[in-house]
Each structure stands twice: as structure tokens, then as C-alpha cells.
Amino acid sequence: VDLIYASTSTNVTTGPEMPAGTGVLRDLTLTGDQGLTLGAHVTVNGVCSLPGSDLATGSYVLTLGPAASLVESDGRTVVGTARATRTAAQSVNETFGGIGLEVNAAGGAPGVTTVTRVTGTALDINGTAGIQRYFDVSPANNAGLGATVVLHYDESELNGIEEDDLVGWAERGGVWTKLSSAADTTNNAVTVTGVDVFETLTLGPGNTTGIEDGLAGIPTAIRLASIYPNPFHPATRIVFDLSRKTAVHLAVYDVGGRLVSTLVNGVLEAGRHSATWQGVADAGFRPSAGTYFCRMRAGSVDQTMRMVLLR
């Protein structure tokens, strides 16, 4: 079946009209100007087109099937989480159904690769916020790729950053690396080269103090550095520094001091690290909106930061 949402009076949340089976929905079109919010996970197998307004995923995921494509226009995008899996061959440009990331790996074939795009959330790049879009890339082969990557963005996601100043950034193991980049502000794209290993990719300001050419700097102290975004929905990134190798316990607690979720519990090397809380308790349920506390215990340091979960 095909579905068209055409409301011009109110935002619509999807309900029983949305097929639950992953192979049923072909085209999904949003012509109405009031927006659409997912009420469940959805897989599109044809074209997902947004000529009218944004599609908000909330706590759910929009998945592009093997032959599906995403068609967004200026200021009308999927806000939240979109995902596509494709087989990326060597020296062939793969667009992942128009999800906003192109990969051409000249070194080695990435193979079956899943790209998860999150919009509406900016990552913390060494204390400076990037744009409100990032990509988690998970290939079958993740070594010696020698890839050229094109990251697309919408101007509504710039987060106050000048387009001419945009460069690519990669996070690997909690360490940010500035990538060799060329911005095309006419087509809202940044091309980065020499990507050998994939993890998390985003765009941010080129003047941010970071790690160049993959050389890691060692922090001068143990500290809980930042939580961004805060308030947040559906996820937030917690960044912390370690000046030496040490045991770390990083966890989320409610206002009553009860443990909600353990994010890190182990020995880590010196450097900048990060952990993501998806707003889910260790027991598997989604806690209610409200105030929570992130507590880090590392060596002699015991530090807590307040965080606010929205629903």
C-alpha cells in the first residue's frame, strides 16, 4: 500500500493505518503542512517524500528498505532517526537511498553497511556543538577503506555555524578527528577524504580545537566535561576526560538517587571519551520525563551533572 498524509489543520501521529509489516508499505508521502509524527517504527520500501512539512520520528525509527529512497526538500526533513542498509562496493558511489551520506571507498569494499542518521540533535565536539545532524556508520569491513564521503545537511540544522566554516569531524573511541574537507554551500554538502575507519560522522566549525590527523591529545584532568543536548529527546551524549588510565563508573540516577542506567563500568585509557544515553533504563523501560543526574566516579573524582529528559 501507499500512504499520503495531507493534514493542513493539525499535526498527525501515525496509528493503525500504518502497516506494521516491514514489507507492506511502499510509498509514504507527506503533503500536509502541519507535520507528521511516528507512533511506531516504520519501514518504507518505495519513496518517502516530504514536500509539505517535517516528519518527526520521536522515539521510533524510519527505516528505508533495500530499494527505498528518501526525498527531502529545503526545510522539510526527517527529524529524528532514519536508517538504511546497503552493500557498498569498492570504488562505487553509494548514496544509501538518499539518507544524506554518500560513500565511495577506493581502498577496500565496506560491504554490508548500515547508516543511522540522527537529526535535531547536535554532538559535542570537544566542548563546541556541531550541526544538528550526525551519522553512525557500521560497515562489515571497517579497515583501510580510503573512502571519500559526502555529508549533506539542511540549513535548518546549522545550529548557528557559518556554512563556509563547516568541516567534517569523526568520533572514534571517544576521540574527535578533524577531516580534510571541502564545503559546497550551494548544494549544502561537505566532501571529506581519506576516511579509513567509520564510526560517527558529523559537521562542525573548522576552528574548533580538536585532534588533527588522528593524533590524540591527553587531558590534564579527570572530569565530567559536558552533556549535550540538555534538555534532550530522545538521546544525549555525555563527554568526560581522563588524564590517566583509570576505572570509570558512569551512570544515570533519578531524583531519588535510584540507579536508572549504567553507561560505563570498566577501566579506560587516558583521553577524551563519550557515552550516549538513549533515555532507556537498564530494565528496558522508558523513564518518564523529568530531571535526572549523571554521576561519574573515576579515581578520586566523584562528579555529578543535572540532565533533563523530555518526552
Side-chain angles (χ1 to χ4, degrees), residues 59-288:
S59 59
Y60 300 104
V61 177
L62 170 73
T63 298
L64 300 178
S69 60
L70 175 62
V71 180
E72 299 169 300
S73 51
D74 291 343
R76 297 176 177 89
T77 65
V78 175
V79 179
T81 305
R83 182 173 295 141
T85 299
R86 301 289 187 271
T87 300
Q90 184 181 29
S91 300
V92 176
N93 196 61
E94 176 58 60
T95 65
F96 297 92
I99 203 171
L101 186 80
E102 301 178 43
V103 172
N104 192 324
V112 177
T113 303
T114 297
V115 174
T116 301
R117 188 190 88 182
V118 179
T119 56
T121 299
L123 297 183
D124 182 290
I125 306 171
N126 299 333
T128 300
I131 70 167
Q132 292 178 334
R133 173 182 291 206
Y134 67 89
F135 301 88
D136 286 327
V137 187
S138 179
N141 169 42
N142 200 20
L145 300 177
T148 297
V149 181
V150 181
L151 295 92
H152 298 267
Y153 60 90
D154 188 83
E155 292 185 14
S156 64
E157 302 161 349
L158 287 173
N159 207 21
I161 303 170
E162 294 292 333
E163 286 186 84
D164 291 336
D165 192 33
L166 286 175
V167 300
W169 288 88
E171 184 193 32
R172 300 166 189 141
V175 176
W176 283 102
T177 302
K178 188 187 293 185
L179 304 173
S180 177
S181 307
D184 179 356
T185 58
T186 300
N187 294 306
N188 291 0
V190 173
T191 299
V192 301
T193 56
V195 179
D196 286 324
V197 178
F198 282 124
E199 193 167 335
T200 299
L201 297 172
T202 192
L203 298 174
N207 59 3
T208 298
T209 300
I211 297 162
E212 301 282 354
D213 301 325
L215 300 176
I218 303 300
T220 59
I222 297 176
R223 69 184 185 115
L224 191 55
S226 65
I227 299 175
Y228 193 89
N230 191 16
F232 66 95
H233 173 78
T236 190
R237 185 67 59 96
I238 298 110
V239 178
F240 57 98
D241 292 335
L242 301 177
S243 58
R244 64 181 185 276
K245 182 178 180 179
T246 187
V248 177
H249 186 268
L250 183 74
V252 177
Y253 298 83
D254 64 19
V255 293
R258 292 175 290 269
L259 177 65
V260 177
S261 178
T262 299
L263 305 178
V264 178
N265 187 24
V267 177
L268 298 179
E269 299 290 337
R272 169 151 283 193
H273 301 268
S274 67
T276 299
W277 188 41
Q278 300 286 350
V280 179
D282 287 343
F285 66 90
R286 294 185 176 274
S288 60

